[in-house]
Amino acid sequence: MKKLLLSAAAAAILASSASVSANSRTAILAGDMDNWQEAAAVSLFKQLNADGTVIAAGETDKISADNLDCIWIHIDRIGAGKGNLPAEFSNEAVIAALTKFVNDGGCLYLSKHATQLLTKIGRVDPKFEVNIYGDGDGGKGTDVWTVNAQIGYWFVQDENSDHYDPSQYYDHRTHPLFDGMATNNDFSCETFGLLGTGDGTEMHREDHNCMWDFNAYQYTAEGKNTVEKFENENNAVVLGAWGHVVDHACAGIIEFLPRILSRDEAVAQPGRIIANGLAAYELAPRSGVNGSKANIEKLTDNAIKYLAKNATTTAIAEVGAENADAPREYFNLQGIRVNSDALIPGIYFVRQGAKTSKVIVK
Protein backbone atom coordinates (compact mmCIF):
# COMPACT_ATOMS: atom_id res chain seq x y z
CA MET A 1 0.00 0.00 0.00
CA LYS A 2 2.81 2.42 0.83
CA LYS A 3 4.11 2.12 -2.72
CA LEU A 4 0.84 3.58 -3.97
CA LEU A 5 1.37 6.72 -1.93
CA LEU A 6 4.66 7.67 -3.58
CA SER A 7 5.55 8.73 -7.06
CA ALA A 8 8.74 7.25 -8.49
CA ALA A 9 10.50 10.58 -8.14
CA ALA A 10 9.44 11.02 -4.53
CA ALA A 11 10.71 7.56 -3.69
CA ALA A 12 14.17 8.18 -5.14
CA ILE A 13 16.95 8.60 -2.63
CA LEU A 14 18.74 11.95 -2.82
CA ALA A 15 22.46 12.29 -3.32
CA SER A 16 24.54 13.95 -0.59
CA SER A 17 23.49 17.39 -1.80
CA ALA A 18 19.85 18.39 -1.99
CA SER A 19 18.12 17.80 -5.32
CA VAL A 20 14.72 18.62 -6.76
CA SER A 21 11.95 16.05 -6.53
CA ALA A 22 8.32 16.05 -7.57
CA ASN A 23 5.67 15.74 -4.88
CA SER A 24 2.57 17.82 -5.42
CA ARG A 25 1.04 16.64 -2.12
CA THR A 26 3.54 18.52 0.06
CA ALA A 27 3.41 22.14 1.17
CA ILE A 28 5.01 24.78 3.35
CA LEU A 29 2.98 27.31 5.32
CA ALA A 30 4.96 30.45 4.57
CA GLY A 31 5.70 33.02 7.24
CA ASP A 32 7.23 36.46 7.04
CA MET A 33 9.18 36.64 3.77
CA ASP A 34 11.07 39.63 5.15
CA ASN A 35 12.41 37.33 7.89
CA TRP A 36 15.55 35.76 6.43
CA GLN A 37 15.15 32.47 8.33
CA GLU A 38 11.55 31.88 7.27
CA ALA A 39 12.28 33.03 3.71
CA ALA A 40 15.14 30.50 3.65
CA ALA A 41 12.67 27.76 4.62
CA VAL A 42 10.43 28.59 1.67
CA SER A 43 13.43 28.67 -0.65
CA LEU A 44 14.66 25.28 0.60
CA PHE A 45 11.19 23.78 0.30
CA LYS A 46 10.90 24.89 -3.33
CA GLN A 47 14.38 23.50 -3.99
CA LEU A 48 13.37 20.11 -2.57
CA ASN A 49 9.77 20.01 -3.83
CA ALA A 50 9.47 21.62 -7.23
CA ASP A 51 5.80 20.62 -7.49
CA GLY A 52 4.96 21.41 -3.86
CA THR A 53 2.63 24.16 -2.66
CA VAL A 54 3.63 27.37 -0.89
CA ILE A 55 0.68 28.40 1.28
CA ALA A 56 0.74 32.14 1.91
CA ALA A 57 -0.71 33.83 4.97
CA GLY A 58 -4.49 33.86 4.78
CA GLU A 59 -4.77 30.95 2.34
CA THR A 60 -6.37 28.74 4.98
CA ASP A 61 -8.48 26.89 2.43
CA LYS A 62 -5.31 25.26 1.06
CA ILE A 63 -4.67 23.50 4.39
CA SER A 64 -6.58 20.40 3.41
CA ALA A 65 -5.88 16.67 3.57
CA ASP A 66 -7.88 16.32 0.36
CA ASN A 67 -4.92 17.74 -1.54
CA LEU A 68 -1.94 17.46 0.80
CA ASP A 69 -0.18 14.75 2.78
CA CYS A 70 2.45 16.86 4.56
CA ILE A 71 2.81 20.52 5.52
CA TRP A 72 6.05 22.05 6.83
CA ILE A 73 5.82 24.99 9.24
CA HIS A 74 9.03 26.81 10.16
CA ILE A 75 8.91 29.73 12.61
CA ASP A 76 12.16 31.38 13.68
CA ARG A 77 12.08 34.97 14.93
CA ILE A 78 14.17 37.12 17.24
CA GLY A 79 12.41 38.45 20.34
CA ALA A 80 9.04 36.79 19.69
CA GLY A 81 8.61 35.60 23.27
CA LYS A 82 7.55 32.14 24.37
CA GLY A 83 3.90 31.46 23.57
CA ASN A 84 3.61 34.46 21.24
CA LEU A 85 3.29 32.73 17.90
CA PRO A 86 2.83 35.06 14.91
CA ALA A 87 -0.82 35.62 14.02
CA GLU A 88 -0.49 34.10 10.56
CA PHE A 89 0.34 30.78 12.26
CA SER A 90 -1.90 30.98 15.29
CA ASN A 91 -5.14 32.76 14.41
CA GLU A 92 -8.36 30.86 14.99
CA ALA A 93 -8.86 29.93 11.34
CA VAL A 94 -5.34 28.52 10.89
CA ILE A 95 -5.44 26.51 14.12
CA ALA A 96 -8.82 25.06 13.16
CA ALA A 97 -7.52 24.15 9.70
CA LEU A 98 -4.34 22.55 11.02
CA THR A 99 -6.28 20.59 13.63
CA LYS A 100 -8.65 19.26 10.98
CA PHE A 101 -5.72 18.49 8.68
CA VAL A 102 -4.12 16.20 11.29
CA ASN A 103 -7.49 14.73 12.26
CA ASP A 104 -8.02 13.86 8.59
CA GLY A 105 -4.69 12.02 8.39
CA GLY A 106 -2.37 14.78 7.19
CA CYS A 107 1.14 15.05 8.65
CA LEU A 108 3.03 18.08 9.93
CA TYR A 109 6.72 18.92 10.13
CA LEU A 110 7.07 21.61 12.81
CA SER A 111 10.49 23.24 13.17
CA LYS A 112 12.03 25.75 15.60
CA HIS A 113 9.37 27.92 17.31
CA ALA A 114 6.62 26.07 15.40
CA THR A 115 6.90 23.19 17.89
CA GLN A 116 4.63 25.34 20.11
CA LEU A 117 1.76 24.51 17.74
CA LEU A 118 1.55 21.03 19.28
CA THR A 119 -0.51 22.35 22.17
CA LYS A 120 -2.47 24.78 19.98
CA ILE A 121 -3.86 21.98 17.80
CA GLY A 122 -4.54 19.74 20.79
CA ARG A 123 -1.95 17.06 20.02
CA VAL A 124 -0.08 17.59 23.30
CA ASP A 125 -1.49 18.40 26.72
CA PRO A 126 -0.40 21.92 27.81
CA LYS A 127 1.46 20.34 30.75
CA PHE A 128 3.95 19.05 28.15
CA GLU A 129 4.45 22.30 26.27
CA VAL A 130 8.01 23.15 25.26
CA ASN A 131 10.02 24.57 28.16
CA ILE A 132 13.51 25.13 26.70
CA TYR A 133 13.11 28.30 24.66
CA GLY A 134 15.38 30.88 23.05
CA ASP A 135 14.84 33.79 20.66
CA GLY A 136 17.78 36.12 21.33
CA ASP A 137 20.60 37.43 19.16
CA GLY A 138 22.84 34.44 19.78
CA GLY A 139 26.57 34.79 19.20
CA LYS A 140 29.65 33.45 17.48
CA GLY A 141 31.43 30.17 18.15
CA THR A 142 33.77 27.64 16.59
CA ASP A 143 32.26 24.33 17.74
CA VAL A 144 29.88 22.18 15.68
CA TRP A 145 26.34 21.75 17.00
CA THR A 146 24.90 18.30 16.43
CA VAL A 147 21.89 16.08 17.06
CA ASN A 148 22.30 12.84 19.00
CA ALA A 149 19.98 10.02 17.94
CA GLN A 150 21.39 7.61 20.56
CA ILE A 151 19.08 8.42 23.46
CA GLY A 152 20.43 7.22 26.81
CA TYR A 153 23.88 6.37 25.44
CA TRP A 154 25.25 6.82 28.98
CA PHE A 155 23.66 3.49 29.88
CA VAL A 156 25.72 1.49 27.35
CA GLN A 157 28.95 3.42 26.94
CA ASP A 158 30.71 1.30 29.58
CA GLU A 159 29.70 -2.32 30.14
CA ASN A 160 31.60 -2.38 33.44
CA SER A 161 29.83 0.61 34.96
CA ASP A 162 27.20 0.39 37.70
CA HIS A 163 24.66 2.13 35.47
CA TYR A 164 25.02 -0.22 32.47
CA ASP A 165 21.46 -0.98 31.33
CA PRO A 166 20.80 -1.56 27.58
CA SER A 167 17.04 -1.46 28.19
CA GLN A 168 17.35 2.31 28.76
CA TYR A 169 19.25 2.92 25.51
CA TYR A 170 17.30 3.84 22.36
CA ASP A 171 19.27 4.00 19.10
CA HIS A 172 17.37 5.86 16.37
CA ARG A 173 20.24 6.41 13.94
CA THR A 174 18.52 4.16 11.40
CA HIS A 175 15.27 6.14 11.48
CA PRO A 176 14.46 7.48 7.98
CA LEU A 177 14.83 11.01 9.34
CA PHE A 178 18.61 10.58 9.51
CA ASP A 179 19.05 8.58 6.32
CA GLY A 180 22.12 9.62 4.34
CA MET A 181 23.35 12.23 6.85
CA ALA A 182 27.06 12.62 7.54
CA THR A 183 28.22 11.73 11.05
CA ASN A 184 30.23 13.73 13.57
CA ASN A 185 32.57 12.32 16.22
CA ASP A 186 33.17 15.36 18.42
CA PHE A 187 31.35 13.75 21.36
CA SER A 188 31.43 10.45 23.22
CA CYS A 189 29.12 8.85 20.65
CA GLU A 190 28.43 9.32 16.97
CA THR A 191 26.10 12.25 16.22
CA PHE A 192 24.92 14.18 13.15
CA GLY A 193 26.38 17.65 12.58
CA LEU A 194 23.95 20.46 11.85
CA LEU A 195 25.61 23.83 12.49
CA GLY A 196 29.23 24.98 12.47
CA THR A 197 31.98 25.63 9.95
CA GLY A 198 33.82 22.45 10.92
CA ASP A 199 37.19 24.00 10.15
CA GLY A 200 37.75 25.82 13.43
CA THR A 201 36.63 29.22 12.18
CA GLU A 202 33.78 31.20 13.73
CA MET A 203 30.21 31.43 12.62
CA HIS A 204 27.18 33.12 14.16
CA ARG A 205 24.39 30.99 15.67
CA GLU A 206 21.00 32.40 16.74
CA ASP A 207 20.64 29.74 19.48
CA HIS A 208 16.86 29.46 19.10
CA ASN A 209 15.83 26.29 20.90
CA CYS A 210 12.16 25.38 21.33
CA MET A 211 12.24 21.93 22.92
CA TRP A 212 11.59 19.75 25.96
CA ASP A 213 13.19 19.43 29.42
CA PHE A 214 11.88 16.06 30.56
CA ASN A 215 12.88 16.54 34.16
CA ALA A 216 10.42 19.41 34.56
CA TYR A 217 7.24 17.49 33.75
CA GLN A 218 4.83 15.55 35.96
CA TYR A 219 3.95 12.15 34.49
CA THR A 220 1.06 9.76 35.00
CA ALA A 221 2.38 7.07 32.62
CA GLU A 222 4.80 4.38 33.71
CA GLY A 223 8.32 3.99 32.33
CA LYS A 224 11.93 3.22 33.24
CA ASN A 225 12.91 6.86 32.78
CA THR A 226 11.54 10.25 31.72
CA VAL A 227 11.90 9.45 28.02
CA GLU A 228 9.74 6.33 28.30
CA LYS A 229 7.21 8.13 30.48
CA PHE A 230 6.90 11.00 28.00
CA GLU A 231 6.64 8.60 25.06
CA ASN A 232 4.01 6.43 26.76
CA GLU A 233 1.91 9.39 27.81
CA ASN A 234 2.08 11.13 24.42
CA ASN A 235 2.28 8.17 22.00
CA ALA A 236 5.58 9.54 20.74
CA VAL A 237 9.17 8.57 19.97
CA VAL A 238 12.10 10.76 21.05
CA LEU A 239 14.39 10.77 18.02
CA GLY A 240 17.11 13.25 18.97
CA ALA A 241 18.68 15.44 21.64
CA TRP A 242 21.53 17.91 21.83
CA GLY A 243 24.72 16.26 20.61
CA HIS A 244 26.38 16.19 24.01
CA VAL A 245 23.35 14.82 25.91
CA VAL A 246 23.70 11.09 26.64
CA ASP A 247 21.07 10.70 29.38
CA HIS A 248 17.28 11.22 29.38
CA ALA A 249 17.27 14.91 30.26
CA CYS A 250 15.81 16.49 27.15
CA ALA A 251 14.61 16.10 23.58
CA GLY A 252 15.13 18.21 20.49
CA ILE A 253 13.31 16.09 17.89
CA ILE A 254 10.18 14.05 18.65
CA GLU A 255 7.89 12.06 16.38
CA PHE A 256 4.27 12.10 17.53
CA LEU A 257 2.49 8.99 16.28
CA PRO A 258 -1.20 8.52 15.43
CA ARG A 259 -3.26 8.38 18.61
CA ILE A 260 -6.66 7.41 19.94
CA LEU A 261 -8.41 9.35 22.70
CA SER A 262 -10.61 6.63 24.20
CA ARG A 263 -11.34 2.96 23.76
CA ASP A 264 -14.68 3.71 22.08
CA GLU A 265 -13.32 6.24 19.60
CA ALA A 266 -11.78 5.86 16.17
CA VAL A 267 -8.25 7.22 15.75
CA ALA A 268 -8.71 10.86 16.76
CA GLN A 269 -5.53 12.21 15.16
CA PRO A 270 -4.18 9.73 12.60
CA GLY A 271 -1.72 12.27 11.20
CA ARG A 272 1.90 12.03 12.33
CA ILE A 273 3.92 15.04 13.46
CA ILE A 274 7.68 15.47 13.61
CA ALA A 275 8.63 18.38 15.87
CA ASN A 276 12.19 19.70 15.64
CA GLY A 277 13.04 22.42 18.15
CA LEU A 278 16.84 22.26 17.99
CA ALA A 279 18.80 25.50 17.80
CA ALA A 280 21.28 23.58 15.66
CA TYR A 281 18.61 23.37 12.96
CA GLU A 282 19.34 26.84 11.57
CA LEU A 283 18.61 27.40 7.90
CA ALA A 284 20.38 30.69 7.19
CA PRO A 285 23.32 31.70 9.44
CA ARG A 286 23.84 35.46 9.42
CA SER A 287 27.63 35.02 9.16
CA GLY A 288 30.00 32.16 8.43
CA VAL A 289 29.59 29.17 6.14
CA ASN A 290 27.79 26.17 7.64
CA GLY A 291 29.87 23.07 6.99
CA SER A 292 26.83 20.91 7.80
CA LYS A 293 24.50 22.58 5.29
CA ALA A 294 24.05 19.29 3.40
CA ASN A 295 22.87 17.61 6.61
CA ILE A 296 20.33 20.38 7.23
CA GLU A 297 18.97 19.91 3.72
CA LYS A 298 19.00 16.14 3.98
CA LEU A 299 17.16 16.09 7.32
CA THR A 300 14.54 18.47 5.93
CA ASP A 301 14.02 16.40 2.81
CA ASN A 302 13.89 13.18 4.82
CA ALA A 303 11.29 14.60 7.20
CA ILE A 304 8.96 15.79 4.44
CA LYS A 305 9.25 12.59 2.41
CA TYR A 306 8.83 10.33 5.44
CA LEU A 307 5.72 12.16 6.60
CA ALA A 308 4.21 12.33 3.12
CA LYS A 309 4.74 8.58 2.75
CA ASN A 310 3.12 7.85 6.11
CA ALA A 311 0.11 10.12 5.74
CA THR A 312 -3.21 8.28 5.76
CA THR A 313 -4.96 10.75 3.45
CA THR A 314 -4.14 9.03 0.14
CA ALA A 315 -4.39 5.59 1.71
CA ILE A 316 -7.91 6.31 2.90
CA ALA A 317 -8.94 7.52 -0.54
CA GLU A 318 -7.56 4.40 -2.22
CA VAL A 319 -8.62 1.68 0.20
CA GLY A 320 -11.37 3.41 2.12
CA ALA A 321 -14.00 0.92 1.04
CA GLU A 322 -11.69 -1.95 1.92
CA ASN A 323 -11.10 -0.73 5.48
CA ALA A 324 -14.32 1.07 6.33
CA ASP A 325 -16.29 -2.03 7.24
CA ALA A 326 -13.39 -4.07 8.58
CA PRO A 327 -13.34 -4.79 12.34
CA ARG A 328 -10.74 -3.06 14.49
CA GLU A 329 -8.33 -5.55 16.06
CA TYR A 330 -6.19 -4.49 19.01
CA PHE A 331 -2.75 -5.92 19.85
CA ASN A 332 -0.47 -5.07 22.77
CA LEU A 333 3.19 -4.16 22.32
CA GLN A 334 4.10 -7.85 22.54
CA GLY A 335 1.92 -8.56 19.50
CA ILE A 336 -0.76 -10.41 21.49
CA ARG A 337 -4.34 -9.74 20.43
CA VAL A 338 -6.47 -8.22 23.21
CA ASN A 339 -10.20 -7.76 23.73
CA SER A 340 -11.24 -4.30 22.54
CA ASP A 341 -13.97 -4.20 25.20
CA ALA A 342 -11.49 -4.62 28.04
CA LEU A 343 -8.68 -2.24 27.15
CA ILE A 344 -6.67 -0.59 29.89
CA PRO A 345 -4.74 2.65 29.36
CA GLY A 346 -1.61 2.08 27.33
CA ILE A 347 -0.18 1.79 23.81
CA TYR A 348 -1.65 -0.63 21.27
CA PHE A 349 -1.36 -1.58 17.62
CA VAL A 350 -4.71 -1.39 15.85
CA ARG A 351 -5.33 -3.27 12.62
CA GLN A 352 -8.33 -2.48 10.46
CA GLY A 353 -8.34 -4.25 7.13
CA ALA A 354 -5.01 -3.50 5.44
CA LYS A 355 -4.27 -0.50 7.66
CA THR A 356 -2.30 -0.65 10.92
CA SER A 357 -1.74 2.20 13.39
CA LYS A 358 0.01 2.60 16.72
CA VAL A 359 -2.33 4.35 19.16
CA ILE A 360 -2.65 5.31 22.81
CA VAL A 361 -5.69 4.57 24.98
CA LYS A 362 -6.25 6.80 28.01
Side-chain angles (χ1 to χ4, degrees), residues 117-352:
L117 284 169
L118 287 164
T119 54
K120 297 283 188 180
I121 65 173
R123 178 58 185 85
V124 173
D125 189 290
K127 72 176 184 178
F128 291 118
E129 66 180 355
V130 294
N131 52 14
I132 300 176
Y133 179 86
D135 61 9
D137 277 332
K140 294 181 178 180
T142 60
D143 57 328
V144 177
W145 291 1
T146 73
V147 56
N148 182 13
Q150 298 184 68
I151 310 302
Y153 180 75
W154 183 73
F155 288 90
V156 295
Q157 64 182 349
D158 182 2
E159 292 186 18
N160 298 315
S161 67
D162 293 338
H163 55 259
Y164 183 74
D165 182 1
S167 71
Q168 298 195 61
Y169 168 65
Y170 319 100
D171 187 357
H172 297 299
R173 286 176 293 174
T174 59
H175 190 283
L177 184 68
F178 304 112
D179 184 48
M181 292 177 60
T183 56
N184 176 284
N185 296 298
D186 288 353
F187 300 103
S188 60
C189 63
E190 178 183 83
T191 63
F192 301 102
L194 292 178
L195 190 64
T197 62
D199 61 9
T201 59
E202 285 187 338
M203 75 175 300
H204 192 279
R205 282 77 70 91
E206 305 301 322
D207 199 14
H208 290 176
N209 286 296
C210 198
M211 43 188 277
W212 303 263
D213 174 6
F214 286 151
N215 294 322
Y217 299 129
Q218 298 295 317
Y219 302 95
T220 57
E222 297 296 323
K224 299 186 189 74
N225 50 64
T226 54
V227 168
E228 280 197 9
K229 291 176 181 178
F230 183 93
E231 290 180 340
N232 291 341
E233 197 154 345
N234 291 281
N235 199 26
V237 179
V238 176
L239 296 177
W242 285 320
H244 63 281
V245 172
V246 294
D247 56 13
H248 303 116
C250 67
I253 304 178
I254 301 177
E255 179 179 0
F256 292 88
L257 304 171
R259 70 167 185 169
I260 188 169
L261 295 184
S262 74
R263 69 190 65 180
D264 300 319
E265 208 169 359
V267 176
Q269 289 187 315
R272 293 172 185 258
I273 301 173
I274 288 182
N276 178 358
L278 288 167
Y281 184 74
E282 186 173 314
L283 302 183
R286 67 172 80 177
S287 68
V289 177
N290 185 11
S292 296
K293 181 174 181 286
N295 270 3
I296 291 275
E297 294 174 344
K298 191 65 176 171
L299 188 151
T300 304
D301 192 52
N302 287 344
I304 294 172
K305 284 184 174 179
Y306 170 76
L307 290 169
K309 181 176 73 172
N310 283 282
T312 62
T313 52
T314 307
I316 289 173
E318 292 171 344
V319 298
E322 173 188 344
N323 288 327
D325 298 325
R328 292 170 60 84
E329 301 174 285
Y330 287 76
F331 300 82
N332 63 24
L333 296 182
Q334 288 72 46
I336 300 172
R337 186 173 176 177
V338 294
N339 187 341
S340 61
D341 294 326
L343 298 178
I344 62 173
I347 297 175
Y348 297 87
F349 292 102
V350 180
R351 183 173 65 197
Q352 185 174 25

Side-chain angles (χ1 to χ4, degrees), residues 81-94:
K82 185 176 179 296
N84 297 321
L85 287 170
E88 61 266 36
F89 295 108
S90 60
N91 66 62
E92 185 175 341
V94 170

